[in-house]
Amino acid sequence: MKPIPNIIRAYVFMRDDGRCRICGQFTVKGVVHHIFRRSEAIPADLAIPWIKGNNHPDNLVWLCSVCHALLHAGLFNEDKALWVVENRRLRDLCPMPKEVQEWLIEHKVLL
């Protein structure tokens, strides 16, 4: 399984202000979590361009390691579509840096 590219990881950290999207705790040692799993089909109505591994920033959130573990243990019911909508709102507030846009274009992803 290919890791999330560092440039994408850094943007997700910046976009989410280094805060866990569940508990709000600031953490530099957080985890980038896929909203829709790497192998999961993203609903077409969410219009997230496909990247191998579902590593588009709109499909990723920053979580602290505790909330990440609890999420995978099934203790949170995340609204996946709502997270994607929130990512787009945050992208308006924190636009993707030129380097991220260039990476997406290089990997044939439409913004």
Side-chain angles (χ1 to χ4, degrees):
M1 198 175 325
K2 227 175 175 182
I4 298 167
N6 288 335
I7 195 162
I8 302 294
R9 181 180 301 279
Y11 171 67
V12 171
F13 174 82
M14 182 178 65
R15 181 201 64 206
D16 291 354
D17 198 28
R19 299 192 176 281
C20 173
R21 292 281 290 277
I22 293 175
C23 73
Q25 175 183 330
F26 178 83
T27 177
V28 176
K29 295 184 179 182
V31 178
V32 176
H33 172 74
H34 288 85
I35 298 169
F36 291 92
R37 293 183 311 269
R38 292 175 189 258
S39 60
E40 187 175 4
I42 298 174
D45 63 318
L46 293 177
I48 296 177
W50 187 84
I51 298 177
K52 187 173 184 158
N54 281 348
N55 290 330
H56 192 283
D58 287 353
N59 187 45
L60 302 168
V61 292
W62 189 259
L63 299 178
C64 71
S65 58
V66 172
C67 287
H68 188 242
L70 294 173
L71 180 69
H72 280 283
L75 297 176
F76 291 117
N77 288 327
E78 81 245 62
D79 183 333
K80 293 179 178 189
L82 188 62
W83 272 5
V84 170
V85 169
E86 179 66 5
N87 282 350
R88 291 192 176 129
R89 186 189 71 77
L90 290 171
R91 185 175 11 137
D92 289 343
L93 299 173
C94 180
M96 288 183 202
K98 185 178 180 182
E99 298 82 22
V100 173
Q101 293 177 31
E102 289 171 350
W103 187 93
L104 292 170
I105 290 167
E106 179 183 328
H107 290 83
K108 299 176 178 41
V109 176
L110 301 175
L111 301 175

